[in-house]
């Protein structure tokens, strides 16, 4: 274990927490699998109920220290972005990439893959981590950095997209960037996907739009001939006569995109603009009908509330049971985020409209921040701008097709691979072993697993993601 000498109250607090967790780890009989017992999740792949003992990490949700001078924060691994942002915004600072669902945790976004509208300039959350303490499968706590002389730099770079299969991040030191009080939004409509893709490239390269610096960039596709880029600029003051909108009550953010060309939000409300209605997914629960919404407590218009409802629905397969009884088509869940190079975006969307037909669709550009870095389990070409495409719904299947086959999801996997893209692993995946490891850094992963979890106390990535163990 790396020796840390506590010098400040936050370091003392942290050392006490990790000692307690280590004791818990050691109490688990040797050779027994280990897993996390967490209160929240944003995963979308059901797992077989596990009997493995869970490490109680509830105490690891909190920000230890914010340093406004160095613009860094010391953060516990299971801290939700909601709590992280609450701690940094009073200093006029925020993380470089804030995934848009409140209960996504810093550790979850670093070991998974986080994306947001600042990703075209700041990349993904793991790219602004300076240092991490990782509890490895082997029961050691290692402090890892990307430094050339760090003996564990392979773990630092191999951690993103390992989904907790190499170890758990307990403490992360991250970079922060300055904010301004408001975000001015311009919603720009495009009649074709290729025109939108061209605009993505142009704006991401120049980082300017109509004489303003562009801080945030994402888009929403409502139909093949109706898509919008939302261009956000942080500002100290709003143009005269303009007040910030409020989409945390009766107003619905995604609907405003097609009905307004200009808008403004406070920086806080901008960061959570997609959480209130889980993008648009809250409509499945009637939460967008004025009569229902009026009665729905404002504090419960949140993605984690809907996530729990969906988890129940999926556990009992309620919709498909009713559909079968009524002789209606059963439906396959198609909940995925994928990335393709920007110049393949139009091809992907053409395929998607034609064969899948889910709308709306979220689109968000991203580019690797450090061109020299190599993140072996999820490799981007640093010279290429990618576009993340997110779609979260169900598709009706022809009679006799079992949703468990993953027919639509498999087709999407194939098309994404053909277009030099890749998909995030927070949801279902159907790759065979060979295809999976050829995409997600198989050779590097074998070495990492041997070094940091030689006894296989943590489930391996393929078992977790594809076999849902
Ligand atoms: C509908 C939907 C939309 C989404 N949209 C976005 C989006 O727009 N932007 C975005 O960034 N992400 C998005 N996500 C994905 C989300 O970021 C990932 O699922 C992320 O991994 C979830 O993190 P979590 O903190 O909720 O972790 P969990 O769901 O609790 O865990 C995820 C995995 O990470 C492991 N893990 C958790 N904490 C740690 C830790 N500290 N150290 C090591 N391993 C750990 C767990 O073992 C588990 O395997 C979306 C997900 C869904 C379902």
């Amino acid at each position: 274990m790396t020796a840390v000498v506590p010098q400040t109250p936050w370091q003392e607090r942290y050392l006490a927490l990790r000692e307690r967790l280590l004791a818990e780890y050691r109490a688990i009989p040797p050779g027994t699998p280990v897993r996390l017992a967490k209160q929240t999740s944003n995963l979308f792949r059901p797992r077989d109920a596990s009997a493995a003992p869970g490490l109680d990490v509830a105490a690891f949700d909190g920000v230890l220290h914010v340093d406004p001078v160095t613009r860094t924060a010391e953060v516990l691994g299971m801290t939700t972005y909601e709590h992280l942002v609450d701690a940094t915004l009073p200093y006029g600072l925020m993380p470089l990439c804030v995934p848009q669902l409140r209960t996504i945790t810093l550790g979850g976004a670093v070991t998974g893959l986080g994306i947001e509208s600042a990703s075209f300039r700041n990349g993904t959350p793991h790219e602004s981590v300076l240092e991490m303490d990782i509890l490895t499968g082997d029961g050691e706590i290692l402090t890892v950095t990307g430094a050339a002389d760090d003996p564990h730099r392979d773990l630092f770079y191999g951690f993103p997209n390992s989904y907790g299969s190499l170890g758990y991040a307990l403490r992360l030191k991250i970079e922060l960037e300055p904010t301004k009080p408001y975000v001015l939004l311009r919603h720009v409509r495009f009649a074709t996907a290729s025109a939108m893709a061209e605009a993505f490239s142009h704006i991401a390269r120049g980082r300017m739009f109509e004489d303003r610096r562009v801080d945030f960039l994402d888009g929403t596709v409502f139909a093949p001939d109706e898509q919008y880029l939302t261009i956000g600029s942080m500002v100290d003051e709003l143009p005269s006569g303009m007040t910030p909108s409020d989409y945390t009550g009766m107003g619905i953010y995604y609907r405003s995109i097609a009905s307004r060309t200009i808008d403004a939000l406070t920086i806080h409300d901008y960061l959570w603009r997609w959480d209130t209605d889980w993008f648009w997914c809250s409509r499945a629960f009637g939460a967008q009908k004025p009569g229902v919404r009026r009665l729905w407590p404002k504090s419960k218009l949140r993605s984690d509330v809907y996530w729990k409802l969906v988890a129940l629905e999926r556990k009992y397969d309620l919709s498909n049971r009713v559909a079968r009884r009524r002789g209606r088509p059963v439906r396959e869940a198609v909940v995925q985020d994928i990335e393709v190079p920007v110049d393949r975006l139009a091809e992907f969307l053409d395929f998607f409209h034609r064969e899948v037909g889910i709308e709306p669709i979220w689109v968000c550009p991203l580019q690797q921040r450090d061109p020299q870095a190599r993140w072996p389990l999820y490799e981007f070409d640093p010279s290429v701008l990618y576009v993340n495409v997110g779609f979260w719904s169900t598709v009706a299947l022809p009679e006799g097709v079992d949703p468990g086959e993953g027919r639509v999801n498999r087709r999407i996997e194939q098309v994404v691979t053909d277009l030099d893209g890749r998909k995030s692993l927070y949801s279902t995946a159907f790759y065979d072993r060979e295809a999976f490891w050829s995409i997600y850094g198989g050779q590097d992963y074998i070495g990492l697993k041997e070094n940091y979890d030689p006894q296989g106390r943590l489930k391996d990535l393929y078992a977790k993601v594809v076999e849902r163990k």
Side-chain angles (χ1 to χ4, degrees):
M1 191 200 307
T2 316
V4 179
V5 183
Q7 288 166 341
T8 62
W10 73 259
Q11 286 170 330
E12 265 175 41
R13 175 182 160 214
Y14 167 63
L15 286 184
L17 283 175
R18 72 181 224 176
E19 280 313 310
R20 227 186 303 152
L21 193 70
L22 265 184
E24 238 189 89
Y25 178 96
R26 288 180 188 135
I28 300 172
T32 314
V34 176
R35 65 178 185 87
L36 283 184
K38 268 188 78 209
Q39 305 289 321
T40 56
S41 175
N42 288 281
L43 284 185
F44 222 84
R45 41 182 151 82
R47 286 178 68 185
D48 295 342
S50 169
L55 291 175
D56 178 1
V57 285
F60 281 81
D61 179 355
V63 176
L64 295 162
H65 181 63
V66 177
D67 186 336
V69 177
T70 57
R71 290 185 186 156
T72 56
E74 296 276 359
V75 187
L76 292 167
M78 285 69 186
T79 306
T80 63
Y81 271 92
E82 181 172 34
H83 295 160
L84 177 49
V85 163
D86 281 351
T88 63
L89 278 189
Y91 293 94
L93 296 169
M94 67 177 214
L96 270 64
C97 172
V98 180
Q100 53 268 68
L101 308 180
R102 291 172 192 262
T103 59
I104 291 178
T105 60
L106 178 60
V110 168
T111 195
L113 207 88
I115 285 161
E116 228 299 274
S117 57
S119 291
F120 74 99
R121 58 187 177 86
N122 286 341
T124 44
H126 57 262
E127 293 187 78
S128 42
V129 173
L130 299 170
E131 183 181 289
M132 284 184 277
D133 282 355
I134 297 178
L135 169 63
T136 65
D138 215 13
E140 275 209 85
I141 297 180
L142 300 174
T143 300
V144 300
T145 68
D149 61 350
D150 179 352
H152 303 299
R153 74 193 292 276
D154 58 342
L155 182 57
F156 182 85
Y157 285 104
F159 192 71
N161 209 43
S162 66
Y163 278 94
S165 66
L166 297 172
Y168 300 125
L170 304 183
R171 176 192 63 91
L172 302 97
K173 181 175 181 181
I174 58 165
E175 293 175 67
L176 302 172
E177 70 173 11
T179 60
K180 291 183 180 171
Y182 304 105
V183 181
L184 192 64
L185 302 176
R186 273 79 46 92
H187 303 302
V188 184
R189 182 172 176 166
F190 294 87
T192 64
S194 48
M196 177 176 70
E198 222 169 275
F200 264 145
S201 296
H202 182 71
I203 298 169
R205 204 177 314 121
R207 300 189 180 183
M208 292 292 288
F209 183 75
E210 291 176 352
D211 294 334
R212 272 188 204 277
R213 191 187 116 105
V214 177
D215 297 303
F216 305 112
L217 183 59
D218 67 355
T220 312
V221 180
F222 290 97
D225 60 353
E226 186 187 6
Q227 41 245 308
Y228 299 82
L229 289 197
T230 296
I231 300 156
S233 305
M234 286 193 269
V235 291
D236 286 312
E237 285 177 13
L238 294 180
S240 84
M242 198 171 188
T243 52
S245 296
D246 178 3
Y247 299 110
T248 63
M250 292 305 288
I252 296 173
Y253 173 68
Y254 85 92
R255 291 200 186 146
S256 74
I257 291 170
S259 63
R260 310 182 58 140
T261 53
I262 185 159
D263 204 351
L265 291 168
T266 63
I267 180 73
H268 176 274
D269 285 0
Y270 177 78
L271 293 176
W272 304 127
R273 70 203 180 287
W274 289 122
D275 187 80
T276 310
D277 284 287
W278 209 12
F279 291 85
W280 29 80
C281 302
S282 69
R283 69 185 170 190
F285 314 103
Q288 295 176 19
K289 291 185 183 147
V292 177
R293 200 169 178 92
R294 219 164 275 125
L295 299 174
W296 198 296
K298 204 172 161 178
S299 62
K300 301 272 187 259
L301 288 168
R302 291 172 54 100
S303 64
D304 52 336
V305 173
Y306 315 126
W307 189 91
K308 282 181 192 136
L309 296 175
V310 170
L312 266 182
E313 206 285 329
R314 297 187 82 182
K315 185 169 176 193
Y316 297 106
D317 196 21
L318 293 176
S319 308
N320 279 339
R321 280 186 187 199
V322 172
R324 282 189 194 99
R325 207 167 298 146
R326 295 191 178 160
R328 294 202 191 128
V330 293
R331 304 182 73 87
E332 177 179 338
V334 179
V335 173
Q336 303 287 353
D337 275 64
I338 63 99
E339 281 99 37
V340 286
V342 67
D343 59 6
R344 315 301 297 268
L345 176 65
E347 275 172 87
F348 180 78
L349 288 176
D350 272 358
F351 145 77
F352 195 81
H353 291 305
R354 204 174 49 245
E355 293 192 30
V356 184
I358 290 172
E359 283 148 10
I361 303 162
W362 185 61
V363 282
C364 183
L366 74 148
Q367 185 149 13
Q368 185 166 314
R369 187 172 170 224
D370 174 1
Q372 307 305 327
R374 179 173 171 263
W375 308 93
L377 303 197
Y378 208 97
E379 261 193 272
F380 288 112
D381 177 343
S383 66
V384 170
L385 180 73
Y386 291 81
V387 179
N388 180 91
V389 185
F391 33 93
W392 313 289
S393 190
T394 58
V395 174
L397 293 171
E399 208 181 323
V401 177
D402 175 6
E405 271 177 33
R407 174 188 280 214
V408 183
N409 281 285
R410 284 174 195 269
R411 173 84 179 119
I412 293 168
E413 282 177 3
Q414 188 54 53
V415 172
V416 169
T417 304
D418 292 347
L419 294 176
D420 295 330
R422 200 174 287 109
K423 90 172 189 183
S424 301
L425 297 178
Y426 70 80
S427 187
T428 49
F430 296 87
Y431 301 104
D432 61 39
R433 268 179 196 280
E434 200 185 333
F436 182 85
W437 288 121
S438 71
I439 299 169
Y440 299 103
Q443 279 312 314
D444 292 85
Y445 188 76
I446 291 170
L448 288 162
K449 199 71 178 160
E450 276 170 8
N451 279 343
Y452 300 107
D453 184 26
Q455 293 170 44
R457 304 280 308 264
L458 306 172
K459 288 261 181 288
D460 99 348
L461 187 61
Y462 188 81
K464 273 184 124 165
V465 170
V466 182
E467 298 172 338
R468 301 185 213 162
K469 287 186 177 158

